[in-house]
């Protein structure tokens, strides 16, 4: 099955007073219809910038400096802004990290969904109103008629996130970008939001890209996972393979750095911190934190090596034999 | 005898703005943020206090440190009866009772250098000379894994992990015996979180500290605490030793909380155990079990008040079905 979204060798840079910040460096990945692709990494790994880049919403001083973005056969980077408008928010939708501040505080949530339906689906006021209530019901908001008449401050955090998901889905997008959709929510509410995303993904056949720093969320929600470190893609694999046999030293370190509820582990923090991305030199950006670093890692950026089942890993220290089983 | 003992702690907040609408002969409405909580902590141990937003866990923290005056109940820490102290004796007692807050940046004064922030408790609570204070600041910064060259820096110049270390250093400056940690790792990134968890554990062992560790992150609580109290709507629903609680949760709320934690292993699929709806407003409290409007096991008996019951040694559950 061909990919819905193809990101190829994408790089994003920000010009700052201190120098050029390389926020995303040569990332290649794809998302297929009906799958949930997780993007995981620490703060500063470039996850959110990558999401902005996919929407072509990187603002100056940031700039997409190279790479290709293909979505449903369109070259997103070559598309004129007017044509992009028809895709952004309609074919590709975003569920943001902070639902409450992403909602308009002066407009009822129902009206916000209605506006979207009128804009993107050309509905009249009455039809939009009915469809908006149906959307709120679809994201399992109890008593949707009453809730539609309320403002963001009258809803709980979990409820606001449901409204955001309803808005994202109102235009029947083919690709849903969810940037840390459960961060800041209580565990039980977060679990229900993820379950909802999973169900809606299955129902609609849309692809979902789920950005998170929580490996638990990845393991329980995603089909495939991209691990990012300091703007670079470290590893891309099916979720079962990734957790069963993490290949990249960074993936292994991530797994060992979180306390677990299901077993006792010896907690091992990841060495060092995400490096500064200002005027970075060539080579692997994980090299100074990596226990397996080789001389080559400083000189040369490791290429993305292909392995079985579409798995990819970018590491000099991972033996070829280890990758291709 | 336990080192920390809290008995029947209540904290009720009057509801502002409700006055002129409510009937005059009715009592003023209150939010029962904390409603009859009791727990003990042995010296040198960690008690985990878990629950979701709005369950009252931070109010417990603030009462125990006497940042808030409790409405009722007793708080004993060591040989001091904190609930009865006021003024100068209370200030003196606070030297032994410190707190680390969730947001490391908000907890630091942006206009105070690290040295001033960490030496402030020394100025308030000790008679050390400025030179001695400076020496103690160096010592405690080293203790929490910071280099002494951060002393002249300001909070905005530090990383998130460094800021939380400064907060911990500040709490430990006067060598307290009891530290309340209110979600100290929640605002930190994964890699920093692991380091702060290990550091807290190491400090507890080396300095013989007693912790009240408040968190909604059950995996971290499991790692740090020897005993756990689960709160819901201002009350304790379950309490047990950590291993027992995680292996045999008995209260439906605890079971739902545990089932909701995403396990970082795709092969481990927890049994789904879901409560309906969301946490009701603490204003709408009724008699009986506070969970009954959301509980899948609820029946008529749940409208009756629940008496906590010891189901096995040290394992207490407040549920009619436990």
């Amino acid at each position: 099955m061909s990919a819905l979204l193809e990101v190829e060798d994408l790089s994003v840079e920000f010009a700052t007073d201190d120098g050029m910040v390389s926020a995303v460096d040569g990332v290649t990945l794809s998302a297929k219809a009906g799958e949930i692709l997780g993007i995981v990494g620490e703060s500063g790994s470039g996850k959110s910038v990558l999401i902005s880049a996919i929407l072509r919403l990187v603002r100056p001083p940031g700039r997409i400096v190279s790479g290709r973005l293909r979505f449903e056969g369109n070259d997103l980077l070559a598309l004129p802004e007017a044509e992009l408008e028809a895709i952004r928010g309609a074919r590709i939708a975003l569920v943001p990290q902070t639902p409450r501040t992403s909602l308009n505080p002066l407009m009822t949530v129902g009206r916000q969904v209605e506006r979207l339906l009128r804009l993107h689906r050309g509905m009249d006021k009455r039809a939009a109103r009915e469809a908006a209530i149906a959307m709120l019901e679809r994201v399992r908001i109890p008593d949707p008629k009453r809730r539609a008449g309320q403002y963001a401050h009258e809803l709980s955090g979990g409820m606001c996130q449901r409204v955001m998901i309803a808005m994202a889905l109102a235009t029947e997008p083919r690709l849903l970008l969810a940037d840390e959709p459960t961060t800041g929510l209580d565990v039980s509410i977060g679990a229900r939001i993820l379950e909802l995303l999973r169900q809606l993904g299955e129902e609609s056949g849309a692809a979902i890209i789920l950005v998170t720093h929580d490996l638990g969320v990845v393991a329980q929600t995603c089909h495939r996972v991209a691990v990012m470190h300091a703007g670079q893609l470290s590893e891309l694999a099916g979720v079962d393979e990734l957790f069963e046999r993490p290949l990249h030293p960074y993936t292994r370190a991530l797994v060992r750095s979180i306390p677990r509820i299901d077993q006792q582990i010896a907690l091992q923090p990841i060495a060092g911190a995400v490096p500064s991305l200002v005027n970075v030199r060539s080579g692997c950006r994980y090299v100074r934190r990596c226990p397996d670093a080789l001389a080559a890692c400083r000189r040369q950026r490791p290429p993305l090596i292909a392995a079985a089942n579409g798995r990819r890993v970018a590491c000099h220290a991972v033996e070829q034999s280890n990758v291709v089983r | 005898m336990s080192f920390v003992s809290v008995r029947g702690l209540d904290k009720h907040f009057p509801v502002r703005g409700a006055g002129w609408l409510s009937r005059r002969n009715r009592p003023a409405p209150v939010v029962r943020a904390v409603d009859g909580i009791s727990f003990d902590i042995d010296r040198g141990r960690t008690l985990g206090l878990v629950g979701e937003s709005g369950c009252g866990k931070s109010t417990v923290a603030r009462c125990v440190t006497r940042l808030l005056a409790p409405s009722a109940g007793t708080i004993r820490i060591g040989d001091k009866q904190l609930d009865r102290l006021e003024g100068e004796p209370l200030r003196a007692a606070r030297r032994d009772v410190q707190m680390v807050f969730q947001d490391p940046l908000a907890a630091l004064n942006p206009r105070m250098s690290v040295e001033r922030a960490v030496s402030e408790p020394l100025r308030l609570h000790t008679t050390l000379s400025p030179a001695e204070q400076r020496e103690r600041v160096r010592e405690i910064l080293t203790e929490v894994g910071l280099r002494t060259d951060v002393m002249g820096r300001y909070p905005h110049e530090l990383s998130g992990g460094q800021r939380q270390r400064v907060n911990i250093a500040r709490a430990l400056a006067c060598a307290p015996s009891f530290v309340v940690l209110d979600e100290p790792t929640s605002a930190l990134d994964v890699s920093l979180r692991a380091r702060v968890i290990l550091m807290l554990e190491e400090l507890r062992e080396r300095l013989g500290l007693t912790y009240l560790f408040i968190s909604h992150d059950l995996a971290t609580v499991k790692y740090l605490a020897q005993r756990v109290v689960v709160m819901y709507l201002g009350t304790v629903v379950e309490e047990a030793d950590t291993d027992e609680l995680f292996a045999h949760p008995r209260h439906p709320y605890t079971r739902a909380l545990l089932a909701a934690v995403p396990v970082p292993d795709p092969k481990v699929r927890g049994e789904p155990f879901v409560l309906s709806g969301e946490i009701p407003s603490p204003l709408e409290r009724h008699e009986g079990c506070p969970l009954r409007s959301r509980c899948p096991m609820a029946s008529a008996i749940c409208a009756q008040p629940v008496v906590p019951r010891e189901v096995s040694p040290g394992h207490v559950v407040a549920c009619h079905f436990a």
Side-chain angles (χ1 to χ4, degrees), chain A residues 7 27-31 35-42 45-47 50 208-213 215 218 222-229 232-239 242-243 248 250-251 254 304 310 312-313:
Chain A
V7 178
V27 168
T28 297
L29 51 82
S30 62
E35 80 166 352
I36 304 181
L37 171 71
I39 300 183
V40 70
E42 292 161 272
S45 61
K47 312 182 293 273
L50 178 63
I208 298 176
I209 295 184
L210 179 69
V211 171
T212 177
H213 64 271
L215 282 174
V218 167
C222 302
H223 301 111
R224 286 193 309 138
V225 191
V227 181
M228 282 186 73
H229 176 264
Q232 296 179 333
L233 182 69
S234 305
E235 183 163 9
L236 182 69
V239 68
L242 188 92
F243 282 91
H248 198 286
Y250 179 59
T251 315
L254 264 184
L304 206 57
R312 304 257 192 286
V313 60

Side-chain angles (χ1 to χ4, degrees), chain A residues 41-44 47 156-159 162 184-189 191-192 194 198 213-217 219-222 239-240 243-244 250 254-274 289, chain B residues 51-54 57 159 183 186-198 216-224 242-243 246 253 256-270 273-279 294:
Chain A
E42 292 161 272
S43 309
K47 312 182 293 273
S156 67
M159 209 71 94
R162 282 168 199 269
L185 299 178
D186 276 319
V187 269
S188 65
I189 309 294
R192 273 147 67 187
L194 291 172
R198 200 159 41 207
H213 64 271
D214 187 335
L215 282 174
V217 168
Q220 298 297 322
T221 315
C222 302
V239 68
D240 291 327
F243 282 91
E244 195 169 305
Y250 179 59
L254 264 184
V255 172
R256 274 186 250 134
S257 73
I258 46 169
R260 295 180 60 150
I261 200 165
D262 60 324
Q263 53 176 265
Q264 295 288 8
I265 61 154
L267 206 55
Q268 291 176 35
I270 308 173
V274 176
R289 313 174 76 183
Chain B
E52 295 181 287
S53 313
K57 54 191 194 302
S159 70
E183 305 259 15
S186 301
L188 303 178
D189 209 0
V190 265
S191 56
L192 292 172
R193 193 174 298 175
R195 258 178 266 165
V196 170
I197 291 169
L198 290 177
H216 65 271
D217 177 358
L218 289 149
T220 302
V221 167
K222 186 177 181 216
Y223 197 89
L224 280 176
T242 305
D243 292 340
F246 282 85
Y253 182 66
L257 266 189
L258 290 177
V261 177
V263 176
D265 184 346
K267 284 200 222 79
V268 180
R269 286 279 143 97
F273 189 97
V274 182
L275 301 172
S276 60
E278 296 189 18
I279 299 181
R294 305 176 63 198

Side-chain angles (χ1 to χ4, degrees), chain A residues 40-69:
Chain A
V40 70
E42 292 161 272
S43 309
S45 61
K47 312 182 293 273
S48 293
V49 175
L50 178 63
I51 293 297
S52 312
I54 291 171
L55 288 162
R56 229 175 82 188
L57 283 176
V58 178
R59 300 234 181 266
R63 195 166 68 87
I64 297 174
V65 287
S66 63
R68 273 152 56 91
L69 271 178

